[in-house]
Structures are given as structure tokens and as C-alpha cells.
Amino acid sequence: MSNINLIDSFQEFKDFKNIDRPTVISVLEEVFRSMLRKKYGTDENCDVIVNPDNGDLEIWRTRTVMEDGFSEDDDLEIELAEAKKIDPDLEVGDEHIEQITLESFGRRAILAARQTLVSKVLELEKDEIFKKYKDRVGEIVTGEVYQVWKKETLVLDDEGNELMMPKTEQIPADYFKKGDTVRAVISKVDMVNATPKIIISRIAPEFLQRLFEIEVPEIFDGLITIKKIVREPGERAKVAVESYDDRIDPVGACVGMKGSRIHGIVRELKNENIDVINFTNNVSLYITRALSPAKITSIKLDDVTKHASVYLKPDQVSLAIGRGGHNIKLAGKLTGYEIDVYREAGEEDEDVDIEEFSDEIDSWIIDELKAIGCDTAKSVLALSIDELVKRTDLEEETIKEVVSILQSEFE
């Protein structure tokens, strides 16, 4: 054959993604030069000519014509008698140029070259994928769910690259099936056994930040800065924002008219409750805002131990703590202070919202009591244990424990 067509000889080319054509052809050229060195001992007198447009490659070998009996290296020189058999016009000192065909290497060498080429290009492809995603950590990526396992989900990006989303990086309410479109943030990129492993996450604070950047143009343009984000994925999140332009209301801009901007984010996060608050260097005010929607009466700060004692009216305590304690926990993470909540001293017969006991009584038990109209401590204590057992689905031992906790509040 007059030339070697790379596309015909190496069909694997069409399957390579992420590697540009010139790089692949460069690798191919090096593979053939390696074959030349094995066959002839050197490739110094060989020209490998590649046509990147149609995938053709030609190999030409040049040897100097020597007088008969004076050739010292048959790889670099050719004797006159042999040269004249090929071209009668050649004389001593001329250069004899011959084309090397693919068949001359032999079947075994060609198969070995094919395997070497495929291996080298696959290595390059993996390196390219690694470099590409290493530089994109923290960015949002959209992909299609390809396979769902118990502990992780395999997602393919628009180029078919594999992205792994462990169960621990999914929002608890997430449910995916094959073919679903999913958005997540690239959280980690590693090389494992020479293969890039790309981890994506939907619980990382960066995911929420990128969603805000998409939905709120003022954040994307830098007019509003997100100072800090803390999350309990799928439950609640708090976002502190600040604007250096007095004409811009950062909270209003993030929420949007009638919540138009934040609703899309909430839906993406499976109805995660998002509190957007104004950042301030005034610690007392910052903690007050962080404990929203609860209304605080007073705060005592210990800046040395980073401890805050917050006093509220009894009906505000449960709001400050939040369901499952999420609100106060996130407020502490956001402000960097350990927060303790106290009820203001009031009348001795003052009642207490049953939600205030969420740190001692399981939420499902509180829900059972509220379902029968007992939403305060005294409304529960007003009923006998037998009556409570009869009206709820709770065990007698559970009722006795709840009553004991409520009674201790008024002792």
C-alpha cells in the first residue's frame, strides 16, 4: 500500500473523546517511530509525514549510497549494486529514498502498535478529563442519571464522562431513576488507579451558592456578596448576604418579588427552608437575625468563649430552636457563637409551648400530642395518663416519661 491510513488501520480513533486530533496523531507518529527503531535500529534517517486532515501517514527512509563492500551500517547506508536494482540512475554519494509500507512491519508488530496506541491515547484522555474537572471544582454540572445503586448514583455529563454522586452527597429527599436530569456541584476530583474519579454533591454549601448565582443576577455581577452559607441539607439553610451599594436590598434581591427567585432554589433543594439574612459586624444583631424567625428580647455575649445567652418570650423559644434543633444549630454555625436559649422569667402559671421540649422529646411524640390538641405543657398535664394513652397511639411508658419532663419544667 502506498500510504498508511490511520482511520482505516486504527478504528479506535472514532471513540476517543476529549483528545484533540493533533495530539492523537502525534502519539501515533511516536508509536511508528518506536516500530522503526525496533526494525531498523534507528529512526534518525526516517521521515514520518502525517496528514491530519484525512488521517494519512507516510513513512520515508533515507540511506546513503556507498561503493560495494564499503557499507558499514546497513540501516544508514546501502551498497551501489543493491541501490541500482531499485533505481539504475543512482550513484555513489546519492541518497536512496524508499517508502516503508505497513505490511513490511509484520502482523505481530502492527497488532502491538495498535495496542500501544490505544493505551497511550486512553491515558491521555484520562489525564485530560482529570485536568478539566480539577479546574472546575466548585462549579455546577448538569448530567443524566445512568445507574442508581444503593450507596451511589452514576451520572454522565454531556460528553459521556462518568460522575459519581455518593448517597452521602445527596439530599435525604432525593430520589433518582435512570434518565433523570440532575444538577450538582463538583466537590472532589482524584486519580484512583490511573482513572479520574469525579465526585459531585448536592449537599455542599457551594451548591446552594451556585444556585443563588444563577437565580440572582446581582450576586453573579458582584453587587451582592454571599458571606457565609450553612446547611442542614433538605431541612434548613441560612445564607448571610451583604451589599456595598446602599441602593440594593440584598435580602430582597435574593428572595425576589413574592419569592420568585428563591422558590426555584427551594424546589431544587427538595423544599429546604432557606433563611436569607443581612450580614453585619454587630455580633448581637447578627445573632438576632440568625435566629430568625424568632424574636429575641435580649442577648448576653461572652466574646472570649464565643458564647451567647439569648433570652426570649416563652412563645418564641420553640421558633428559636426550630424543628429538630436545626434553627439554633445553624445560627451557631453561621455566627461562630455557641448559643443557649432561655425563657424570660414570667408568671408562675405561665404555660410553655410543647415545641420548646423538642431537645428532650422526639418530634413524632410532640406531633402525636399536638394532634389531640395538646400544644402546650399544661394542656398535656391537664389530662390523666390513662386519658393520654387512650387518645394517642403512644405507649404508657412513653406518656409517663413525657409527663415527667413537662412537670420538671414547673418545679
Side-chain angles (χ1 to χ4, degrees):
M1 55 195 295
S2 60
N3 61 4
I4 302 168
N5 187 281
L6 313 188
I7 305 302
D8 293 339
S9 301
F10 297 89
Q11 289 298 320
E12 290 86 353
F13 270 164
K14 63 181 177 13
D15 298 325
F16 295 136
K17 316 177 291 285
N18 302 304
I19 304 296
D20 58 86
R21 186 70 156 221
T23 301
V24 175
I25 291 176
S26 174
V27 172
L28 183 60
E29 181 180 341
E30 177 52 39
V31 168
F32 272 91
R33 285 194 171 276
S34 176
M35 293 171 67
L36 288 167
R37 288 192 291 271
K38 287 181 181 178
K39 183 176 177 65
Y40 299 115
T42 180
D43 66 331
E44 293 178 7
N45 59 330
C46 296
D47 292 316
V48 180
I49 303 170
V50 178
N51 185 336
D53 295 327
N54 58 17
D56 287 343
L57 178 145
E58 298 178 1
I59 300 176
W60 298 92
R61 182 186 181 210
T62 303
R63 289 186 290 173
T64 303
V65 179
M66 305 293 290
E67 288 186 13
D68 294 343
F70 284 88
S71 175
E72 297 181 355
D73 188 342
D74 290 339
D75 292 325
L76 298 174
E77 300 167 345
I78 183 171
E79 293 188 352
L80 182 60
E82 184 181 350
K84 281 187 174 292
K85 290 178 184 178
I86 302 169
D87 185 351
D89 295 331
L90 288 175
E91 299 293 339
V92 174
D94 289 346
E95 288 188 339
H96 172 258
I97 301 174
E98 63 180 318
Q99 185 172 11
I100 307 299
T101 62
L102 182 61
E103 293 94 328
S104 67
F105 289 102
R107 177 178 173 79
R108 183 173 295 181
I110 293 171
L111 291 175
R114 181 195 296 268
Q115 187 59 46
T116 301
L117 173 66
V118 172
S119 298
K120 286 192 174 184
V121 175
L122 284 176
E123 286 176 17
L124 278 173
E125 184 183 29
K126 290 176 181 179
D127 286 341
E128 286 299 316
I129 294 172
F130 177 77
K131 291 174 185 175
K132 173 184 174 182
Y133 276 95
K134 193 71 174 175
D135 294 336
R136 293 182 62 195
V137 170
E139 288 185 18
I140 273 188
V141 64
T142 301
E144 181 180 310
V145 174
Y146 184 74
Q147 198 159 357
V148 179
W149 297 294
K150 185 176 181 180
K151 294 185 178 181
E152 57 189 0
T153 298
L154 173 61
V155 178
L156 301 183
D157 69 4
D158 55 4
E159 294 180 347
N161 297 316
E162 296 185 354
L163 316 173
M164 299 304 304
M165 183 163 56
K167 194 72 175 176
T168 54
E169 297 297 327
Q170 299 175 30
I171 296 169
D174 277 341
Y175 172 77
F176 301 114
K177 59 184 184 298
K178 185 172 182 177
D180 285 349
T181 297
V182 61
R183 282 200 295 182
V185 71
I186 301 166
S187 65
K188 189 178 181 183
V189 181
D190 289 323
M191 268 292 192
V192 180
N193 297 325
T195 300
K197 185 173 184 180
I198 304 156
I199 305 296
I200 57 176
S201 171
R202 286 172 51 81
I203 69 169
E206 291 81 8
F207 182 49
L208 179 51
Q209 179 166 343
R210 298 293 170 260
L211 292 175
F212 266 103
E213 290 172 0
I214 292 170
E215 296 290 338
V216 185
E218 291 87 347
I219 293 178
F220 183 80
D221 294 337
L223 299 174
I224 294 175
T225 302
I226 295 178
K227 301 294 288 186
K228 191 172 184 179
I229 294 177
V230 290
R231 292 179 66 190
E232 286 289 332
E235 294 289 342
R236 198 178 196 107
K238 289 186 181 289
V239 183
V241 295
E242 183 180 35
S243 174
Y244 298 106
D245 190 334
D246 294 336
R247 296 169 297 178
I248 296 177
D249 170 18
V251 174
C254 291
V255 174
M257 188 73 70
K258 296 182 179 180
S260 58
R261 289 177 171 177
I262 206 167
H263 280 166
I265 300 175
V266 171
R267 283 194 298 272
E268 178 70 49
L269 301 183
K270 307 299 181 184
N271 296 319
E272 190 170 307
N273 194 341
I274 302 173
D275 299 327
V276 183
I277 67 170
N278 267 316
F279 175 80
T280 176
N281 289 315
N282 183 323
V283 178
S284 294
L285 180 57
Y286 194 28
I287 292 175
T288 299
R289 291 173 178 173
L291 283 172
S292 174
K295 296 178 181 178
I296 294 171
T297 304
S298 61
I299 298 179
K300 291 182 180 177
L301 297 176
D302 187 334
D303 293 327
V304 176
T305 60
K306 294 286 184 178
H307 186 275
S309 299
V310 177
Y311 296 86
L312 311 93
K313 290 182 179 179
D315 62 342
Q316 296 296 306
V317 172
S318 61
L319 290 175
I321 294 173
R323 180 169 181 152
H326 295 311
N327 197 56
I328 192 169
K329 185 189 300 182
L330 290 176
K333 289 181 180 178
L334 190 71
T335 60
Y337 275 69
E338 183 181 345
I339 302 173
D340 286 331
V341 172
Y342 299 96
R343 287 188 302 112
E344 281 188 316
E347 299 294 327
E348 285 188 8
D349 60 350
E350 193 168 29
D351 207 347
V352 182
D353 192 310
I354 197 168
E355 288 282 358
E356 186 176 335
F357 298 91
S358 59
D359 56 339
E360 298 176 83
I361 302 174
D362 290 340
S363 59
W364 66 273
I365 297 176
I366 292 176
D367 290 341
E368 279 285 331
L369 295 171
K370 289 172 72 174
I372 63 170
C374 296
D375 54 3
T376 67
K378 289 193 174 180
S379 65
V380 177
L381 296 175
L383 299 174
S384 67
I385 289 177
D386 289 341
E387 184 68 17
L388 288 168
V389 171
K390 182 179 178 181
R391 294 175 61 181
T392 67
D393 291 330
L394 301 173
E395 299 289 337
E396 184 175 340
E397 283 301 313
T398 302
I399 294 290
K400 287 181 179 179
E401 186 178 347
V402 169
V403 169
S404 174
I405 292 171
L406 299 181
Q407 285 176 337
S408 65
E409 179 68 19
F410 299 101
E411 291 176 356

